[in-house]
Amino acid sequence: MKADQGKCLCGAVSIQAGVAERHHEACHCGMCRRWSGGPFFGTVVSTVSFEGEENIARYASSEWAERGFCKLCGTHLFYRLKKFDSYVMSVGLFDDAERFILVEEIFIDRKPDGYSFAGDHPRLSEAETLAKYMPEE
């Protein structure tokens, strides 16, 4: 699999990631909206390597996950499930971000009324999202 390239706004952090499919999700949870100023558009990657890792700040946003951002420009880089070392990368990082297709919305019952996305794709409530994605203890 060819690695997909991307970088933060200032270029201090660059990534190479294995993206299996050109899909992404929109997360409407309150934490993602506060973090990104709107829904978080993320794609799961099979592998990721960072250049400029010294410029990455990691914030433990819950017991099971952390969020990463560039210390210099503030670009949101990833959401990582700690237990599985699984990265969900911000779609906007990728050089070819326009190729990604929205395939699912999560925490749809937390979405404010001010926006909506077109298309026929799954829209999971908070309970459905947690049942599908949260690691079992």
Side-chain angles (χ1 to χ4, degrees), residues 11-49:
V13 177
S14 60
I15 64 164
Q16 290 191 13
V19 179
E21 309 216 10
R22 296 289 173 189
H23 297 167
H24 76 281
E25 296 175 338
C27 181
H28 302 289
C29 79
M31 205 176 295
C32 278
R33 287 185 293 112
R34 186 174 304 271
W35 183 49
S36 65
F40 176 66
F41 297 106
T43 189
V44 176
V45 297
S46 57
T47 61
V48 65
S49 63

Side-chain angles (χ1 to χ4, degrees), residues 49-117:
S49 63
F50 300 97
E51 271 188 51
E53 193 155 0
E54 68 277 8
N55 297 311
I56 297 175
R58 293 171 182 260
Y59 172 68
S61 57
S62 68
E63 292 179 21
W64 60 85
E66 69 180 2
R67 296 164 190 269
F69 58 93
C70 175
K71 292 179 187 177
L72 302 177
C73 67
T75 296
H76 304 138
L77 303 171
F78 59 80
Y79 174 86
R80 183 178 80 89
L81 288 169
K82 297 175 191 177
K83 182 176 181 178
F84 301 107
D85 195 28
S86 174
Y87 284 85
V88 179
M89 305 302 296
S90 175
V91 172
L93 293 174
F94 293 99
D95 295 340
D96 62 348
E98 66 279 352
R99 292 178 50 201
F100 287 86
I101 299 167
L102 179 64
V103 297
E104 185 174 68
E105 294 180 61
I106 58 176
F107 290 88
I108 195 69
D109 50 339
R110 300 295 182 203
K111 183 188 78 58
D113 292 336
Y115 64 85
S116 293
F117 298 120

